[in-house]
Amino acid sequence: MSLIRLLGISLGLAMLSSWMLGCDAGPGTVSNPNLNVGASGYNGPPARTADIRSFDINFWTFLKEDNRCGRCHAVGQSPAFVDRADVNYAYSQAVPYVDLQNPATSAIVAKVAGGHQCWLGSVNAATCADNIEQMIINWATDSNVTSARLIQLTAPAIKEPGEAKSFPATATTPGSNGSSFADTVHPILTANCSACHRETATPLPIAPFFANADSNSAYESAKAKMNIDTPANSRFVVRLLQESHNCWTASCSNDAASMQAAITQFADGILPTPVDPNLRTSKALNMTDDGIIAAGGSRHESNLVAIWEFKSGDPSQFAFDTSGIDPAVDLRLTGSVTWLGGYGLNFSGGRAQADTT
């Protein structure tokens, strides 16, 4: 090879090096969040059997941490079912307390459901128990043990239809205490909501028009926003208290209390209407309070990422992920979302949202 060719190669390499160095000024890399919750740092003997390996992956890995069961049951507290030194020993300690055929009846599930050291707080003991139950189901599924959740229907108590309150005929019809809509709720609405919820509002009237100057017209629009059986659940009250919607003072809670007091005064004067004894009445269920609870079901539960059973209930702000898989994809409830008695959520403009990480 001639000297000229060698010099040409050297010059080309130098130019390439210079070009590559020139690219270093670009944006740096950003590491993805570390979502590895496996048995990092474990130096003990490997799982001896496939079942122990399934126990390792689906149960031991998630419960061995100090913020779960590891603070006690990995360091001397019997049973040592999350012993960190030997997953095989931990397995032997866990087996007496689980039922792979029917995970819901496992002793460890019952213990946590009873309030024992729930990592989400004692008020969420049932959620922690559901998580552990699902971990056992995942363990059993990977170990080829038949373990489907059985349908367990919980029937509500039979309720005879009783007396119920009905809205008075007009806004000015006085109740038994002399109070009417016109002299209790209507003044608050016209004083604080008429800038929007009035047919003559400017520049843009907003329906419903429950703040009309005419009390009867306002009454027809306001009925749907008042709960005369439970005034605290009235939409007027919830809108102020939970959503801070156009509060008229610096304290939305005080405004909500004033609204609730007015609705209560109005409702207290309404006497319940008795049921006509000659009618054949229905004992149909109310979805909000009397939904039939179906616990589980023979659903496909292998390789779960997340599962929501919507059991938390009022006043929880979360629909917890009970898949037993970390990180949990818990849903935070915001806005107008209410819990249903048969395990569910009712959305009226609100949302359920998880952290993207």
Side-chain angles (χ1 to χ4, degrees):
M1 184 179 292
S2 68
L3 178 60
I4 294 175
R5 291 185 62 192
L6 286 173
L7 287 173
I9 293 173
S10 298
L11 179 60
L13 290 174
M15 293 177 65
L16 177 60
S17 175
S18 174
W19 177 79
M20 293 179 67
L21 288 173
C23 295
D24 288 346
T29 59
V30 177
S31 298
N32 287 327
N34 179 17
L35 301 182
N36 178 21
V37 292
S40 58
Y42 174 67
N43 296 314
R48 297 193 189 102
T49 67
D51 188 42
I52 298 176
R53 180 57 179 157
S54 179
F55 160 81
D56 173 352
I57 295 171
N58 297 293
F59 186 90
W60 178 84
T61 291
F62 301 116
L63 293 181
K64 68 181 176 59
E65 303 301 331
D66 285 341
N67 64 340
R68 299 285 176 90
C69 304
R71 185 174 61 180
C72 299
H73 294 283
V75 289
Q77 177 75 36
S78 180
F81 57 84
V82 287
D83 180 86
R84 297 193 189 104
D86 187 346
V87 70
N88 300 285
Y89 175 70
Y91 169 83
S92 69
Q93 293 287 291
V95 166
Y97 299 94
V98 300
D99 185 341
L100 295 182
Q101 298 288 345
N102 190 1
T105 64
S106 299
I108 189 172
V109 173
K111 184 74 172 180
V112 174
H116 179 74
Q117 300 298 330
C118 172
W119 58 89
L120 298 173
S122 58
V123 295
N124 294 310
T127 300
C128 287
D130 287 341
N131 265 285
I132 294 178
E133 179 185 345
Q134 189 61 52
M135 291 176 194
I136 298 172
I137 291 173
N138 297 343
W139 167 9
T141 301
D142 283 353
S143 294
N144 296 318
V145 175
T146 302
S147 178
R149 293 199 188 197
L150 301 177
I151 294 291
Q152 297 173 343
L153 297 180
T154 305
I158 295 296
K159 294 181 180 179
E160 295 291 339
E163 299 177 331
K165 291 184 176 183
S166 299
F167 282 101
T170 69
T172 56
T173 304
S176 61
N177 60 358
S179 298
S180 68
F181 171 82
D183 55 31
T184 55
V185 182
H186 188 238
I188 293 181
L189 296 175
T190 54
N192 304 292
C193 307
S194 58
C196 298
H197 296 282
R198 183 179 58 178
E199 288 177 296
T200 58
T202 56
L204 180 66
I206 299 176
F209 302 119
F210 48 71
N212 278 345
D214 177 66
S215 61
N216 281 309
S217 171
Y219 182 49
E220 293 306 313
S221 295
K223 286 179 182 178
K225 308 296 181 181
M226 295 184 293
N227 187 324
I228 55 178
D229 293 309
T230 311
N233 292 342
S234 299
R235 184 63 180 155
F236 284 140
V237 177
V238 172
R239 198 92 157 100
L240 290 165
L241 188 61
Q242 296 183 10
E243 301 174 26
S244 302
H245 177 74
N246 290 337
C247 306
W248 52 86
T249 71
S251 173
C252 288
S253 59
N254 287 344
D255 296 345
S258 298
M259 180 65 76
Q260 182 177 333
I263 298 173
T264 300
Q265 183 181 356
F266 167 54
D268 284 348
I270 302 174
L271 298 177
T273 303
V275 177
D276 186 341
N278 294 318
L279 296 177
R280 183 177 297 240
T281 57
S282 170
K283 298 179 177 62
L285 303 178
N286 181 297
M287 178 60 76
T288 303
D289 303 312
D290 301 322
I292 296 178
I293 298 170
S298 297
R299 60 187 168 217
H300 183 77
E301 294 180 327
S302 298
N303 306 311
L304 286 173
V305 174
I307 182 172
W308 301 277
E309 298 178 285
F310 304 108
K311 292 182 178 180
S312 309
D314 193 46
S316 177
Q317 292 181 313
F318 290 93
F320 291 105
D321 168 14
T322 56
S323 63
I325 303 299
D326 279 343
V329 189
D330 297 329
L331 303 177
R332 178 183 288 276
L333 310 182
T334 56
S336 183
V337 184
T338 55
W339 290 92
L340 298 176
Y343 297 161
L345 295 173
N346 181 48
F347 291 91
S348 300
R351 64 180 183 271
Q353 190 171 25
D355 188 293
T356 54
T357 303

